[in-house]
Amino acid sequence: MKKGSAGKGVKSHIDAIYFDPCSKTLSTRDKLLVDDSEGLAHGAKYRDPSGNEWTIIDPNELANHSAERASDHPTLQIMKVAHHGIYTRFTMPNDPNPPKFAEFLLAALATPCRADAAIGDLNEHFTRDCNEFGRDRAVRLYWARTLRSLWPLLRRAIVKALKWGAVLATVKRFL
Amino acid sequence: MSAIELTTLEQHLLLAIIGLHPNAYGVSIQEHIKDRTGREPTTGSVYASLDRLEEKGFVKSRQGEATPERGGKRKLYFTITARGQHTLRQSLQAIDALSHGLRWKGAAI
């Protein structure tokens, strides 16, 4: 893809290398299809079919980047686009991707609204831990938090069930 | 309901909700309590206690925004009610009354 060379409406493919802060690895992603109609001016923004936003940045800015510096960024970063020396930075939301079974356990013990909020909170902790400690430790911490959360929720569920049981028993007595 | 029925965690939760108003949700409440007491309540204990407090009419909840780092799950914001404030004040006053004028001696080593 050549800078500013494509005509209006032309779609271009670029290869990208990105840094994953969770696995702390640089990897190659699928080619990205961008609309090249405006030329690839620095600062130009593109939105791919998945809705992710791409921003072209100054190659000089990228030259100062390294994997270590990229780890400071909490989100996925495109470090370099291989073709034609065009450099981009790609930012997208992290996929928390915490253990699903832990979510299931919480969902089973709390009301849907509470369970959603509790799982969201654990996901938020997970994302922070992931950026700080890496994914393996973040998963261990996620499980620890989940398991420590189960007993209070279970106890609450039991108390509620007993209350309803007592109410039903009282109603039955008068029927 | 008697103020004595508030547990320490419930007192902490109500104080955190007042302190964080209007941004009191699970994670911010946990961090607020951890920063001030050094002990972080678990997510489960926070929601179990808040569930109980809401059932008693001491707090109200409303759904907030979903963010990517939360995996698309919505936040649940809490605010204290007038009844909750009254109960909390009574509870704290009871502690004050018990601790007032204490001479800290007589502890076994």
Side-chain angles (χ1 to χ4, degrees):
Chain A
M1 184 170 55
K2 291 174 185 171
K3 184 176 176 180
S5 64
K8 195 170 177 62
V10 172
K11 304 279 184 184
S12 301
H13 286 282
I14 49 178
D15 291 327
I17 299 170
Y18 79 105
F19 179 78
D20 183 348
C22 270
S23 61
K24 296 194 184 300
T25 54
L26 288 166
S27 16
T28 306
R29 276 224 138 177
D30 291 341
K31 286 181 178 179
L32 174 72
L33 185 67
V34 297
D35 188 335
D36 200 15
S37 59
E38 302 298 323
L40 288 174
H42 297 149
K45 292 188 186 303
Y46 298 93
R47 194 168 287 279
D48 70 14
S50 306
N52 300 312
E53 192 174 75
W54 295 66
T55 305
I56 307 299
I57 63 166
D58 190 332
N60 295 325
E61 185 187 332
L62 192 79
N64 297 324
H65 280 63
S66 65
E68 285 74 26
R69 288 198 57 185
S71 67
D72 296 338
H73 297 283
T75 52
L76 295 179
Q77 298 281 324
I78 287 288
M79 294 302 296
K80 178 172 138 183
V81 174
H83 283 180
H84 308 294
I86 303 294
Y87 296 88
T88 69
R89 174 187 288 173
F90 174 48
T91 305
M92 63 175 281
N94 272 336
D95 174 15
N97 199 25
K100 294 291 176 197
F101 186 64
E103 282 191 15
F104 167 77
L105 287 174
L106 284 174
L109 289 176
T111 55
C113 180
R114 293 271 189 276
D116 238 30
I119 292 166
D121 285 356
L122 289 168
N123 286 347
E124 201 172 321
H125 283 298
F126 177 79
T127 306
R128 289 181 192 179
D129 292 340
C130 206
N131 292 327
E132 196 171 342
F133 307 118
R135 194 175 189 281
D136 288 347
R137 190 167 168 196
V139 168
R140 285 199 297 275
L141 288 169
Y142 186 91
W143 269 109
R145 285 201 171 93
T146 304
L147 294 174
R148 284 169 59 213
S149 292
L150 289 179
W151 172 238
L153 291 172
L154 179 65
R155 193 173 52 194
R156 180 79 188 134
I158 291 170
V159 167
K160 274 186 168 180
L162 290 175
K163 272 186 188 172
W164 278 108
V167 169
L168 287 174
T170 309
V171 170
K172 273 184 184 173
R173 200 179 299 163
F174 289 102
L175 290 178
Chain B
M1 177 180 170
S2 166
I4 308 274
E5 286 184 40
L6 280 184
T7 65
T8 307
L9 176 59
E10 286 168 346
Q11 286 179 342
H12 289 177
L13 289 172
L14 292 174
L15 288 167
I17 288 169
I18 295 170
L20 290 165
H21 182 79
N23 297 314
Y25 73 101
V27 174
S28 67
I29 291 172
Q30 280 177 292
E31 286 175 350
H32 188 87
I33 293 174
K34 189 184 177 187
D35 287 347
R36 283 155 183 79
T37 68
R39 293 176 64 184
E40 185 181 352
T42 65
T43 304
S45 60
V46 165
Y47 280 100
S49 297
L50 287 171
D51 193 37
R52 181 171 178 269
L53 290 172
E54 189 164 22
E55 195 178 83
K56 301 287 181 190
F58 296 161
V59 296
K60 278 185 178 175
S61 64
R62 65 176 169 84
Q63 285 206 319
E65 72 280 7
T67 58
E69 67 266 22
R70 294 176 61 82
K73 306 287 185 189
R74 286 178 176 276
K75 291 177 182 175
L76 200 59
Y77 287 105
F78 292 90
T79 48
I80 192 166
T81 62
R83 193 177 172 194
Q85 279 195 357
H86 176 73
T87 307
L88 177 62
R89 196 172 294 134
Q90 274 192 320
S91 176
L92 295 176
Q93 280 171 353
I95 297 288
D96 276 349
L98 283 168
S99 57
H100 182 71
L102 272 187
R103 290 184 196 173
W104 295 91
K105 60 181 183 181
I109 299 172

